Amino acid sequence: MTTLHAIAVIVDISKSRTHADRSTLQTQIQDAFGRVNEILPGLQRLEPTFGDEFQAVYADVPTALRATLLARLQLPDGVDCRFGLGEGELRTVGAGVAGAVQDGSAWWSARRAIDEAREHQYSKLGFVRTWFRRDGSAGSGSGSGSGSGSGVAAGGAQRPSAHEALVNAYLLARDQILATMTPRARRLLLGQLRGATQAQLAVQEGITQSAVSQSLSRSGANALVAGEALLNDSLTPGGDR
């Protein structure tokens, strides 16, 4: 039995039953996630499992955050997904028809996270598509921030750890920014994340370099990238806590 500390990711299609052609929808999402795998391959690729669900495994939180951001930006217009990220242990307990059979707190945490993302989506935080949970016994082996796992608040409710709160605060801001972006703004952000220059993006979109710069600033793309860098620094061993 193999055990590692990792970030499990579970993805499901938001409001999939409202799409007239679910087969085409699945193909479009698989193609989009295939491009993510080419840009940022994980320990396990982002691939379909059953029904409307996809799964992946990444080595650490920063990689999982970037992969899920790329996944959202690669999706075709009008298609959206929810993402649950779970940090903890991942155990390979055997082999099945579809590959390795796995268990562990990383998957349990990811399932809890995607359930909470769904709950938030149908609340006053309707823009939420991504949530993070960490196994209460998880240590700092992945380069995560300080602090132990979630505690118990008054009345028995589960209280998020400082680590979870930090990551989810970033995800709240990220999801809000993405929800307000135009299709062009999302394409420009994706291009920026892939290393394209503003001049290259201007040619791609048929606009001026000045217009690209203004869009990246006004859409919140620059703030999102800067926020990700600050968060990643705090999650890196030796970074400020």
Side-chain angles (χ1 to χ4, degrees):
M1 182 174 66
T2 304
T3 302
L4 71 155
H5 189 100
I7 313 301
V9 176
I10 299 175
V11 187
D12 68 12
I13 305 171
S14 178
K15 301 180 180 178
S16 63
R17 295 180 183 180
T18 65
H19 291 268
D21 188 346
R22 286 168 53 83
S23 177
T24 298
L25 175 66
Q26 286 274 3
T27 300
Q28 290 177 328
I29 294 175
Q30 283 186 242
D31 289 345
F33 290 171
R35 293 191 291 273
V36 175
N37 290 326
E38 293 174 2
I39 299 168
L40 193 63
L43 298 178
Q44 291 178 202
R45 294 166 59 88
L46 182 54
E47 294 181 333
T49 53
F50 57 89
D52 293 337
E53 192 165 286
F54 295 74
Q55 295 180 356
V57 176
Y58 297 96
D60 51 43
V61 174
T63 306
L65 291 174
R66 173 56 67 92
T68 53
L69 174 57
L70 290 170
R72 289 204 64 190
L73 294 172
Q74 290 282 3
L75 290 170
D77 295 345
V79 177
D80 211 351
C81 291
R82 286 179 291 262
F83 300 80
L85 284 64
E87 179 178 356
E89 284 191 347
L90 190 153
R91 296 187 297 274
T92 299
V93 297
V97 175
V101 177
Q102 295 178 333
D103 191 16
S105 59
W107 288 118
W108 310 335
S109 297
R111 181 65 62 189
R112 185 157 66 100
I114 200 169
D115 287 345
E116 291 184 71
R118 185 181 297 107
E119 291 172 6
H120 287 311
Q121 183 179 351
Y122 293 100
S123 72
K124 63 182 180 181
L125 299 176
F127 58 87
V128 169
R129 295 295 182 273
T130 318
W131 207 247
F132 169 76
R133 281 299 177 194
R134 186 189 195 198
D135 169 36
S137 63
S140 57
S142 65
S144 303
S146 62
S148 60
S150 303
V152 178
Q158 195 75 9
R159 183 177 62 237
S161 67
H163 178 81
E164 287 178 313
L166 179 66
V167 174
N168 284 323
Y170 163 74
L171 288 173
L172 282 170
R174 189 178 89 174
D175 282 352
Q176 176 71 85
I177 290 172
L178 292 175
T180 62
M181 279 185 166
T182 65
R184 169 174 283 173
R186 293 165 73 99
R187 291 194 301 271
L188 291 175
L189 172 57
L190 176 60
Q192 183 183 44
L193 293 174
R194 299 195 64 178
T197 65
Q198 290 190 6
Q200 291 170 328
L201 293 173
V203 172
Q204 171 187 303
E205 293 293 329
I207 57 179
T208 66
Q209 185 174 337
S210 175
V212 171
S213 178
Q214 291 176 19
S215 175
L216 290 172
S217 178
R218 293 174 179 173
S219 69
N222 287 343
L224 193 155
V225 173
E228 181 187 72
L230 287 170
L231 177 63
N232 289 349
D233 182 63
S234 75
L235 299 177
T236 302
D240 292 337
R241 297 293 191 265

